[in-house]
């Protein structure tokens, strides 16, 4: 799983028990956050948003709980009064009448006002989340046209959280192949129709891999490949991890290149330079 869908899945789990519910008790591990415990009591959770690896739990009183999980942070949800069995250090506990959400081990936690969110060092740097339901292909096209992005290679843009948050390495290969675009291409060199197609594939494949827990092939393709006896690791992707195997469209052997120090898989025929 790329980091985007993974954090979005965690956010959905938390949203399920918190959104629309009143916080009856809030507890923070870090001393500097204890003053917010009282401010969150009695307020309602309105949404759980993600921006790359960051999560924003939104409250009706205007405050948001920002958490960045880095490597070790982990959210748990339980039915009250159950507490997860773990040796990890508890950093946040939010309790509703019926459920609890706990965050363990994360070190990067803040409670933000809307103004503080705007000038936040991480949030002000990251682009829109690739899984944001409100994001439209036209919005992605607009980002590519920005002076700081338009002349950069797409391969590197797709791994840059400043361009778009929540993307992952396998999605980069899968999206570029689906759009027929080579990783060294620059947005400024693409035709409007090509760039719109790329934007559409970007959102389509990100949403599909989220829904399917990491399968970018379509349902029909999966069915057909399973019928041929292929295993999950073989049927889930179109190009990623398929070096020297034939392209599903044109039979040309897939090549593995390096872009931003990580492997990107391309079909030299479907994705001309
Ligand atoms: Zn091909």
């Amino acid at each position: 799983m790329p980091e985007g869908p993974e954090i979005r899945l965690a956010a959905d789990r938390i949203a399920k028990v918190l959104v629309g519910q009143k916080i009856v008790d809030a507890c923070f591990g870090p001393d500097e956050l204890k003053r917010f415990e009282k401010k969150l009591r009695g307020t309602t959770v309105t949404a759980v948003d993600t921006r790359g690896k960051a999560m924003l739990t939104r409250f009706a009183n205007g405050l948001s709980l920002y958490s960045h999980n880095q490597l070790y942070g982990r959210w748990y949800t339980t039915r009250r009064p159950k507490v997860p069995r773990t040796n990890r250090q508890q950093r946040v506990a939010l309790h509703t009448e019926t459920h609890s959400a706990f965050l363990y081990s994360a070190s990067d936690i803040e409670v933000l006002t809307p103004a503080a969110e705007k000038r936040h060092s991480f949030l002000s740097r990251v682009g829109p989340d690739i899984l944001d339901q409100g994001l439209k292909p036209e919005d992605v096209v607009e980002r590519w046209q920005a002076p700081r992005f338009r002349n950069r290679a797409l391969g590197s843009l797709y791994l840059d959280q400043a361009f778009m948050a929540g993307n992952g390495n396998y999605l980069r290969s899968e999206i570029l192949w689906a759009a027929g675009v080579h990783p060294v291409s620059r947005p400024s060199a693409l035709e409007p129709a090509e760039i719109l197609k790329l934007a559409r594939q970007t959102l389509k494949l990100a949403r599909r891999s989220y829904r399917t827990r990491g399968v970018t092939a379509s349902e029909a393709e999966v069915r057909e490949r399973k019928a041929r006896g292929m295993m999950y690791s073989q049927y889930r992707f179109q190009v990623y991890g398929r070096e020297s195997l034939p392209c599903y469209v044109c039979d040309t052997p897939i090549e593995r290149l390096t872009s931003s120090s990580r492997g990107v898989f391309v079909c030299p025929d479907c994705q001309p330079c």
Side-chain angles (χ1 to χ4, degrees):
M1 283 300 265
E3 62 204 26
E6 199 172 68
I7 194 85
R8 188 59 245 173
L9 288 169
D12 287 351
R13 233 173 42 237
I14 298 155
K16 217 169 149 186
V17 301
L18 293 186
V19 171
Q21 302 299 319
K22 193 188 274 185
I23 298 300
V24 296
D25 202 7
C27 303
F28 288 107
D31 282 342
E32 67 277 14
L33 295 178
K34 289 199 182 295
R35 66 194 172 97
F36 290 107
E37 292 175 349
K38 226 165 142 186
K39 290 190 178 165
L40 296 185
R41 269 177 217 139
T43 188
T44 301
V45 177
T46 56
V48 182
D49 292 336
T50 54
R51 295 279 296 282
K53 281 187 189 169
M55 197 183 290
L56 286 156
T57 307
R58 313 266 189 203
F59 302 95
N61 64 2
L63 293 174
S64 294
L65 170 65
Y66 165 88
S67 56
H68 193 293
N69 277 1
Q70 289 144 343
L71 283 179
Y72 306 107
R74 183 144 180 218
W75 281 94
Y76 294 85
T77 55
T78 62
R79 181 171 275 280
R80 286 189 75 183
K82 255 179 106 178
V83 172
R85 256 197 250 169
T86 171
N87 293 325
R88 294 162 181 259
Q89 197 176 15
Q90 187 183 305
R91 313 294 291 175
V92 178
L94 298 172
H95 306 283
T96 69
E97 214 51 80
T98 54
H99 287 82
S100 304
F102 300 93
L103 175 58
Y104 288 89
S105 306
S107 53
D108 202 355
I109 308 167
E110 293 170 62
V111 176
L112 303 171
T113 60
E117 191 178 322
K118 276 210 185 88
R119 44 170 206 269
H120 189 270
S121 62
F122 176 79
L123 295 172
S124 61
R125 276 188 290 118
V126 298
D129 198 282
I130 197 167
L131 286 171
D132 183 337
Q133 285 304 312
L135 199 63
K136 293 191 273 304
E138 292 74 19
D139 303 324
V140 183
V141 170
E142 204 181 300
R143 283 194 82 67
W144 273 313
Q145 282 158 350
R148 64 188 171 129
F149 298 132
R150 62 192 308 272
N151 289 314
R152 285 179 50 193
L154 285 160
S156 93
L157 277 182
Y158 270 92
L159 290 188
D160 186 348
Q161 301 284 301
F163 170 65
M164 218 187 272
N167 207 352
N169 196 40
Y170 78 68
L171 268 180
R172 162 174 83 158
S173 293
E174 297 291 293
I175 291 166
L176 292 171
W177 177 82
V181 174
H182 196 277
V184 300
S185 302
R186 291 155 204 281
S188 56
L190 297 179
E191 298 294 329
E194 289 178 302
I195 205 138
L196 186 62
K197 182 179 179 189
L198 183 58
R200 289 200 175 117
Q201 291 295 344
T202 299
L203 300 182
K204 181 174 148 187
L205 291 182
R207 287 164 188 169
R208 179 186 289 166
S209 79
Y210 167 68
R211 260 197 332 271
T212 57
R213 309 290 189 266
V215 179
T216 51
S218 72
E219 269 178 54
E221 286 160 343
V222 168
R223 259 199 313 277
E224 187 264 333
R225 289 172 200 176
K226 274 186 181 167
R228 280 162 47 199
M230 290 169 83
M231 312 286 288
Y232 176 76
S233 59
Q234 297 170 306
Y235 67 65
R236 62 188 289 207
F237 296 138
Q238 310 286 33
V239 284
Y240 188 81
R242 298 191 65 244
E243 187 177 7
S244 29
L245 291 170
C247 169
Y248 283 119
V249 168
C250 70
D251 278 341
T252 304
I254 301 298
E255 290 178 1
R256 182 187 189 278
L257 311 174
T258 303
S259 156
S260 299
S261 326
R262 302 189 66 185
V264 61
F265 295 84
V266 300
C267 168
D269 206 45
C270 294
Q271 297 164 266
C273 271

